[in-house]
Amino acid sequence: MRPAPRTPRRGRLMERGRTAPVRTCVGCRVRTAKSDLLRLVVVEGVIVPDPRGRLPGRGAHLHPDPACLELAERRRAFPRAFRLPGPLDASALRERLAARAAQQQDGRMVSDV
């Protein structure tokens, strides 16, 4: 008997014949490739970006878009995603995303947030 051909798992994105890790944006709740999202961690009550994905602690993923950040704050998604009580300070993250959006509008691409 001939083995059945392998098919990609449902919900995975193809990348050069290999499956890419999939994560969900805490703002818009869209599942997409991990490389398209920005990892966030909490350091002393402040949400900070982790573009290299190396900081310790529980992470959450967000599109690098101010609209997704606003949606996540309105839905109060960060305390749930990080499993921490109370409000978290996202002002530093908001400023970095706004600066990145302004640079993209000027035509300059930014490699890291």
Side-chain angles (χ1 to χ4, degrees):
M1 212 170 166
R2 191 169 31 149
R6 292 186 55 102
T7 58
R9 298 175 86 182
R10 186 174 179 197
R12 301 284 175 147
L13 301 176
M14 296 299 291
E15 184 177 286
R16 282 188 257 137
R18 296 174 49 192
T19 58
V22 176
R23 301 290 183 265
T24 302
C25 174
V26 294
C28 63
R29 304 292 298 162
V30 172
R31 290 174 51 97
T32 187
K34 180 180 173 182
S35 60
D36 294 339
L37 298 171
L38 176 64
R39 183 175 187 261
L40 307 171
V41 294
V42 174
V43 177
E44 297 178 1
V46 178
I47 301 171
V48 296
D50 181 19
R52 293 186 178 201
R54 302 283 187 244
L55 291 177
R58 183 171 183 84
H61 292 82
L62 182 79
H63 285 109
D65 180 20
C68 279
L69 175 61
E70 181 182 327
L71 188 59
E73 288 177 323
R74 190 171 62 224
R75 292 179 50 244
R76 297 184 190 107
F78 288 126
R80 277 193 309 272
F82 292 118
R83 296 183 182 170
L84 294 173
L88 300 170
D89 182 21
S91 60
L93 176 62
R94 188 178 305 108
E95 290 171 7
R96 290 183 84 166
L97 290 181
R100 183 179 191 272
Q103 287 177 346
Q104 283 183 340
Q105 286 179 351
D106 292 343
R108 296 175 292 184
M109 285 300 296
V110 180
S111 61
D112 286 339
V113 174

